[in-house]
Amino acid sequence: MRRMFFVGALTLASALLAATPAMAEIRIIQSPGGEVGPFLDLFEQVRESGERVVIDGPCLSACTLVLSIVPGERICVTKRAILGFHAARSVDRRGRFYAEPEASDAVLQAYPGPVRNWISRHGGLSSRLLLLKGRDLAAIYPRCR
């Protein structure tokens, strides 16, 4: 059975869409990220399901956790794929962001080696968004067929 899930800009729950017959597949077309918990839960389910993940647009922030949870041989990218990485951060009661260096280190270590190396070569995780796309991304993950 082929199921296609679209991770969109609104909320993770409202972005999960439809099913069509054939091969199992999750398609990420646009995800700005968000709270880590729902992404961890979703990608754990995807890992257990055996479904393939097609990254077909921006997958930013917490969305990139897919790389740490789903086996790399089940991930492919299209020409539109963009992965966006930044340091972990939290929000206090007043709505101010603050750095979470231990969480950033844990996330970085959980990424596959080639992704970790790319991040390191581009200055490491910080408040600045690092975008992995194009040839650099295709050198790490295969193009979808």
Side-chain angles (χ1 to χ4, degrees), residues 37-119:
F39 283 91
L40 292 174
D41 294 342
L42 173 64
F43 296 141
E44 289 286 341
Q45 290 175 2
V46 172
R47 183 183 68 203
E48 296 302 317
S49 75
E51 293 170 312
R52 177 174 87 142
V53 174
V54 175
I55 302 175
D56 190 20
C59 175
L60 310 178
S61 191
C63 178
T64 64
L65 294 172
V66 68
L67 308 175
S68 302
I69 298 171
V70 175
E73 63 272 7
R74 291 190 6 230
I75 297 173
C76 68
V77 298
T78 70
K79 290 181 180 183
R80 292 181 295 274
I82 301 171
L83 299 174
F85 306 92
H86 63 79
R89 58 186 183 221
S90 292
V91 181
D92 68 16
R93 292 179 188 203
R94 294 183 179 171
R96 295 177 297 199
F97 287 98
Y98 61 94
E100 292 279 6
E102 295 83 14
S104 293
D105 290 342
V107 167
L108 183 62
Q109 291 309 308
Y111 286 131
V115 173
R116 246 189 346 263
N117 293 340
W118 184 90
I119 291 169

